[in-house]
């Protein structure tokens, strides 16, 4: 099938508009969704694509700068940001590490989803639709960072996926399900209490 030049222009313009909408969707998400919770599956792929590790759990957040990742499979691990610090608890080792929030988050995926200033930390650009999702690339403005690329996928207005490639070429794909925007969160959801007997490492 052949298209006339004007029709091609219209089709290309429509495709760009669809991709541009993904950027607007992310901006709307950050502006309008102040809290939320979801289930997630995380797949980490080695740089050569040969090895994959899968984990799963639940995620919830409340702006600004409070979130909880609770990994349940294959191992228990909890990551909590309380607005001041980020706490990481490894149940098998019974060990806790903590860092100041400003040092731990910066221009990271957590900052993008739960932070307070999207435009300050990231340059946003539309990407082609893939896997049934509309994607936006978020490039950190900071020169130094722990990852090379980050993109966010939406199914309509619903947060569906975040994909990160770190500075070593390792790829992590977080896929969300049962996402509930502006869900009420418990008062102690983002309060971390060091488990009895756990070793604490301040970073």
């Amino acid at each position: 099938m052949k298209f006339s030049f004007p029709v091609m222009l219209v089709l290309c313009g429509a495709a760009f508009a669809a991709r541009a909408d993904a950027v607007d969707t992310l901006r709307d998400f950050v502006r309008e969704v102040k809290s939320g919770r979801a289930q997630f599956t995380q797949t980490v792929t080695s740089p050569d694509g040969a090895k994959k590790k899968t984990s799963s759990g639940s995620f919830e957040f409340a702006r600004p700068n409070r979130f909880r990742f609770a990994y349940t499979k294959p191992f228990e691990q909890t990551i909590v940001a309380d607005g001041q610090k980020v706490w990481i608890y490894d149940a098998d080792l019974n060990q806790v590490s903590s860092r100041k929030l400003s040092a731990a988050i910066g221009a990271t995926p957590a900052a993008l989803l739960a932070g307070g200033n999207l435009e300050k930390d990231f340059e946003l650009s539309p990407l082609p639709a893939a896997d049934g999702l509309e994607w936006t690339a978020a490039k950190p403005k900071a020169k130094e960072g722990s990852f090379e690329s980050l993109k966010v996928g939406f199914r309509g207005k619903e947060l569906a996926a975040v994909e990160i490639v770190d500075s070593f070429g390792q790829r992590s794909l977080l896929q969300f399900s049962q996402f509930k925007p502006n869900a009420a969160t418990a008062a102690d959801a983002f309060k971390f209490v060091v488990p009895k007997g756990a070793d604490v490492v301040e970073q």
Side-chain angles (χ1 to χ4, degrees):
M1 181 182 295
K2 294 182 178 180
F3 294 108
S4 66
F5 184 67
V7 171
M8 287 297 292
L9 282 179
V10 170
L11 291 176
C12 289
F16 178 80
R19 294 199 301 274
D21 283 348
V23 174
D24 291 336
T25 299
L26 177 56
R27 288 191 178 114
D28 290 344
F29 175 84
V30 171
R31 183 176 62 251
E32 298 171 4
V33 180
K34 302 303 182 184
S35 64
R37 70 165 61 98
Q39 301 298 307
F40 72 87
T41 299
Q42 180 175 355
T43 304
V44 179
T45 306
S46 61
D48 60 5
K51 296 180 180 179
K52 290 187 177 182
K53 293 182 179 179
T54 302
S55 54
S56 60
S58 60
F59 165 65
E60 58 185 316
F61 72 94
R63 299 185 194 280
N65 299 327
R66 291 175 295 160
F67 60 84
R68 175 185 288 267
F69 281 94
Y71 290 81
T72 55
K73 296 179 181 179
F75 307 108
E76 286 188 32
Q77 186 183 60
T78 306
I79 304 173
V80 179
D82 61 11
Q84 301 296 323
K85 288 186 174 183
V86 175
W87 303 84
I88 301 175
Y89 172 58
D90 187 312
D92 286 346
L93 298 177
N94 198 25
Q95 185 179 77
V96 176
S97 61
S98 69
R99 297 180 68 184
K100 288 184 178 180
L101 187 73
S102 57
I105 292 187
T108 66
L112 187 146
L113 295 177
N117 197 329
L118 178 69
E119 305 290 348
K120 176 185 175 183
D121 295 325
F122 298 93
E123 293 179 4
L124 307 178
S125 58
L127 294 171
D131 302 320
L133 305 179
E134 296 291 336
W135 292 90
T136 297
K139 181 181 178 181
K141 292 181 179 180
K143 298 290 185 182
E144 299 179 0
S146 60
F147 63 94
E148 289 185 357
S149 65
L150 166 65
K151 62 181 186 179
V152 185
F154 285 89
R155 185 178 292 106
K157 295 291 186 179
E158 180 180 319
L159 177 67
V162 174
E163 185 179 272
I164 310 119
V165 178
D166 68 21
S167 55
F168 299 102
Q170 180 174 264
R171 186 180 304 272
S172 297
L173 176 64
L174 280 163
Q175 296 172 295
F176 299 99
S177 63
Q178 303 175 47
F179 182 77
K180 297 180 180 179
N182 292 316
T185 56
D188 60 351
F190 311 107
K191 180 180 179 181
F192 183 79
V193 177
V194 176
K196 186 177 181 179
D199 294 325
V200 179
V201 179
E202 293 277 354
Q203 297 180 338

